[in-house]
Amino acid sequence: MGQVDYGTNCLACWGGLIFTNKEGFCEQIRLCERAMYSVAFSVLRNESDSAEVLSEAIYRAYKNLDSLKSESAFKPWILRIVHNTAVEQIRKNAGVISMEEISDPALYGTEERLTTILTLKDAVNSLKQPYRTAVILFYYENLSVLKIAQITETTPAAVKKRLSRARNMLKELLKEDFNNE
């Protein structure tokens, strides 16, 4: 099994992995950055805690890079680490989580569109775990049911059931807001 060579910052190849240096690892992190933040924020609902979790998750991923089986599995692997680190953070903080608001509403176009986006965002954020995470990964991060199952360490059937239940919950939550449309 490969080892990290701290003297040259080169990583040995594991099963054909292309990560030959820390820049390759960093590039993969950059490509997954938005999805990583979405996972952390979906669990924690706090920007500063999410940023802290991302730092810890990236450290853990780099430290345990030898457990990654193939380069194509990098995204689900790193998202699972982020998810587990976020859940660990919740357990440490005894469930006290605050939610931060959108920073620049002007980015969303018309007032009506902004209202729709905020209403949907509030509805998704009101879902309990694990439904909220499943919805965010599936609809906002466009991950497959199989990849979500890998990240959350469940079965694809469980992910499908969570998505179905979440859609029903959202339908009930949003019924009043969108019954005229």
Side-chain angles (χ1 to χ4, degrees):
M1 197 162 271
Q3 297 293 318
V4 177
D5 179 355
Y6 293 103
T8 62
N9 290 326
C10 291
L11 305 174
C13 289
W14 295 283
L17 276 177
I18 297 174
F19 300 125
T20 56
N21 58 38
K22 70 180 179 182
E23 285 76 26
F25 175 79
C26 292
E27 180 60 28
Q28 288 298 316
I29 292 294
R30 278 189 286 281
L31 292 173
C32 298
E33 186 176 29
R34 187 174 153 261
M36 292 167 58
Y37 181 80
S38 292
V39 169
F41 192 82
S42 77
V43 174
L44 298 168
R45 293 202 233 171
N46 179 288
E47 288 182 15
S48 62
D49 287 347
S50 297
E52 185 179 321
V53 160
L54 286 184
S55 295
E56 178 64 21
I58 291 168
Y59 169 74
R60 288 178 183 183
Y62 190 76
K63 193 169 108 178
N64 296 300
L65 194 57
D66 60 341
S67 70
L68 180 61
K69 303 296 181 219
S70 72
E71 185 178 2
S72 64
F74 184 82
K75 188 173 184 177
W77 177 76
I78 191 72
L79 293 179
R80 184 178 333 109
I81 292 170
V82 170
H83 180 265
N84 292 343
T85 306
V87 169
E88 185 179 302
Q89 175 81 5
I90 287 175
R91 289 182 183 138
K92 277 189 214 175
N93 292 340
V96 179
I97 303 168
S98 64
M99 186 168 84
E100 305 211 10
E101 294 302 318
I102 280 183
S103 59
D104 188 6
L107 297 173
Y108 297 97
T110 67
E111 187 176 329
E112 183 178 323
R113 179 163 159 69
L114 176 60
T115 301
T116 301
I117 290 169
L118 289 174
T119 302
L120 184 57
K121 176 184 179 268
D122 288 342
V124 169
N125 283 334
S126 72
L127 295 173
K128 293 189 185 294
Q129 286 295 358
Y131 306 108
R132 183 174 58 245
T133 297
V135 167
I136 288 172
L137 291 176
F138 189 77
Y139 290 106
Y140 292 90
E141 295 304 324
N142 298 316
L143 293 179
S144 69
V145 168
L146 186 60
K147 289 201 183 221
I148 296 169
Q150 291 172 340
I151 292 163
T152 58
E153 297 177 329
T154 60
T155 65
V159 172
K160 288 178 185 178
K161 187 155 212 95
R162 288 174 184 172
L163 287 169
S164 175
R165 288 179 179 168
R167 281 190 293 269
N168 288 334
M169 289 177 207
L170 289 169
K171 187 177 178 181
E172 284 301 311
L173 287 169
L174 297 170
K175 189 185 281 185
E176 288 181 22
D177 293 315
F178 298 103
N179 65 358
N180 295 335
E181 296 177 21

